Amino acid sequence: MFLATTPLSIRSEHDVVLLGPWCLEGHSEIELGSCHLMSHGLVPLDKKLALNKEVQETVERILPNLCQRLNALHGQNQSDRYWRIICGRWLLGFVDVLYQRWNLIDQALTEFPIDHAGGFTLDHSMIAPRRSQDFAQQRISHEWNTHVFTAILRHRNVAIELLPQGRPTNGTSLNLEDRFIKQTAVALWGLLAKRSPMCIADSYFGTWSEMRLALENRSLPARLIRVIPSKVEYSESMRESVKLTSTAGESFEEFLFGNLHRWLPYSWVEDFSELSAGPHTRHLPQNPHTIFTANAHHSSDYFMIYMAKQAERGSRIVLAQHGGLYGEGEVRSRNEEHELAIADTYVTWGWKDSSYYNIVHGPNQISQPTSTACSSREGGLLVVMDTTFRYSRYSWETRPERDLYGESCALLYSKLSADIQKKSIVRLHHDHNQCDEGHEQFFRELKGVNFDDVSRPIEKSISESRLVVVTTLSTTFIQNVSRGIPTLIYAQPEIYEIRAEYRWIFDELAKVGIFHESSVSVARWITAIWDGVGEWWNSESVQEVVNQYGRHFAGFPSQTRKTWQQILNGDDVKS
């Protein structure tokens, strides 16, 4: 039987196995009766945790080996922590995705007598990202996934029928004028900022708040160049020198160890010297006692290298969470795991984890509460949707979660009264039709659905709404409750499992009608409070629970919360 792994490998013949529903994108004419579409069920929580743990343990086995080889390649003698700061987040995400793709192929070979499949001529440079940040776009593209599936199938000795191919986009380029303006501006700023005793970069504060915080610490905020184009070619010889020790075999770990060197970001191999010592690094503080960021430690490869180098020299690394879900989900995000592992001080918005000594509680950087009570509000209902992905970003298959999410959001809308529906707007995520097929499809059976203009600032839509429903554990809820905007949470329990130690907070939110795990439940509650949203939200019981949530997850004032000055001055270490 023939295996199609992506839409690029579809064939019009009998005995074709489709690896998943994503294979049908752009192929509406295909009759499923002539194909075998593999089914994937929802993955239970214990299985998710087990898969995450397997990947975590695999990465821990990789890191010391990889650190040793990268040190040798670049003539360095850096610690494992140095390389963990640079490589750790990408490794977790990449091995998650690779393991999930491996298990899909394993399932196909187990369930069907596959003897050939569609694929590309294997070119490892097509899999390796130029910058580690490029991986976020690679993993959702059909081209990149076709290359990865081809590599796995070849390792499993499945014959490949070659497909025509193009080169996928890898990274973002700048036009010369734009590049010159950005680099000149950063260079001029850097002349002033490089002597700062503290490096504050991409802190998640607004521009003026970040400036004020830096000036209070006799510093200037660092300004980063987002893209550094490179024309360095893929080097097989350099990559062979960082090949990990492995044995021949068909297990996932043997496949990973035998190929990882080929797929590392260029930033750590061919481009490492330029990124670690290029002119862009001279714009950063040269001897900071503290480095503080909430984003740059995963959004800029050259900043990661800079931060790792300064940490080796004794700089204190202060990281802060930069959005919702942190501390709330039972399956910890890879961002949360990595940041806790590399920070000297990690600033949460109120939650804690007894496994880590480096956590302190601080205010959130996005919106400090003035009053959680709302003023009189008119307008309609705003339903805010999250993005979904055609290919899983995790170590388990998420297509069933994606389908359940879309269907349950549509069910929520369908259960509203006709009057409320007329006053409702569905806000699709701005990337919904780039990362997936587009969320309008989930509402196709419903008539008259009003979709918000995604180019319109979401803050404007929120401000014009009487009531907001967020459909995930999100930053939007934190921002809204900080500003006194009545907001409900709808979180499908098979998708968003609440962390056990904080389940009680969400139970309290449920008691007052804020938190719902059923689309029917949230629709009924909307109907019940529609004519008195303000009175309900401002009631003593609701405000008490909102503030309780805020102290644990939104950086509201509490006895354990420290100010940013205390945190950056190291008072959290002294106390």
Side-chain angles (χ1 to χ4, degrees), residues 18-21 36-41 104 107 111-112 397 400:
L18 306 179
L19 195 61
H36 303 272
L37 178 61
M38 284 179 54
S39 62
H40 308 285
L104 280 178
Q107 179 187 347
E111 295 180 1
F112 299 94
E397 176 50 49

Side-chain angles (χ1 to χ4, degrees), residues 395-429:
S395 53
W396 64 90
E397 176 50 49
T398 57
R399 184 69 180 213
E401 294 181 12
R402 171 261 194 198
D403 293 343
L404 176 61
Y405 174 76
E407 291 163 5
S408 62
C409 288
L411 179 61
L412 184 164
Y413 184 90
S414 72
K415 293 298 181 181
L416 298 171
S417 68
D419 181 58
I420 296 177
Q421 283 185 3
K422 290 177 184 177
K423 299 174 182 176
S424 297
I425 295 175
V426 176
R427 173 76 181 206
L428 303 178
H429 192 276

Side-chain angles (χ1 to χ4, degrees), residues 467-478:
L467 180 65
V468 178
V469 178
V470 296
T471 56
T472 179
L473 302 176
S474 67
T475 310
T476 301
F477 182 74
I478 293 172

